[in-house]
Amino acid sequence: MISGKINIKRILMLISAVALIWVGYKLWTFGEWSAFLDYLHTNRHHLPALLSIQLLLMTLNLALETRKWQILVRPVQSITLKEAFFQVVKGIQLGMMTPARTGDSIGKAIFYLRAKKAK
C-alpha cells in the first residue's frame, strides 16, 4: 500500500467490525430480555408471521434505499445495482455508530473516486 492512499478494504472491514461490536454491545446491555422472552413464549404462534413480515419489510426497505441511491448518484456516476446495494449497506453500518446517522452518507461516499467525491 502506498502511503497517503486509503485502503478501502481495511476501512470497510473496520466499519463492519465496529458495527458488529456495537450491535453486540446493545444486545448485551438490553435490560428487558425477560419481558421479551415472556412475550415470545406467550405469543409463540405469532412468531413466524412476525418474522416473515419483518424480513419482507427489511428487504423492501433495502431495495428502495438501493434504488434511491442509484438514482441520486446517476448524474455523477452510473453504478450497478450491486454496487449501490453494497454502498447502502456500508452506509447503514457506519450510520448506526454515529449520531443522527451522519455516517450514512460518509459510508456511501467512501466508494467514489477522489475526483468525483466533491460532486
Side-chain angles (χ1 to χ4, degrees):
M1 180 174 101
I2 300 172
S3 66
K5 276 195 155 187
I6 298 174
N7 189 341
I8 299 293
K9 288 189 180 192
R10 287 187 182 175
I11 291 173
L12 295 177
M13 287 175 36
L14 179 66
I15 290 170
S16 296
V18 172
L20 185 62
I21 291 168
W22 178 253
V23 169
Y25 168 75
K26 293 305 261 181
L27 288 173
W28 185 265
T29 60
F30 182 65
E32 298 295 325
W33 280 114
S34 59
F36 177 68
L37 293 174
D38 286 342
Y39 175 79
L40 287 181
H41 182 69
T42 307
N43 299 305
R44 124 178 36 173
H45 57 281
H46 292 285
L47 186 59
L50 289 174
L51 290 176
S52 298
I53 290 170
Q54 185 176 10
L55 185 63
L56 176 70
L57 291 175
M58 181 187 70
T59 305
L60 180 64
N61 180 39
L62 280 173
L64 291 173
E65 185 71 26
T66 300
R67 184 64 179 143
K68 179 183 80 171
W69 180 246
Q70 190 179 30
I71 291 170
L72 283 172
V73 298
R74 186 177 293 152
V76 178
Q77 177 185 9
S78 181
I79 58 175
T80 65
L81 203 57
K82 181 180 176 182
E83 291 171 327
F85 176 75
F86 194 63
Q87 291 175 4
V88 165
V89 169
K90 290 302 175 186
I92 289 171
Q93 285 180 342
L94 190 59
M96 284 188 328
M97 299 173 284
T98 54
R101 290 184 48 140
T102 54
D104 189 32
S105 55
I106 295 169
K108 293 174 186 175
I110 290 174
F111 290 90
Y112 284 101
L113 299 174
R114 191 175 297 267
K116 295 188 177 186
K117 284 183 184 178
K119 292 183 182 180

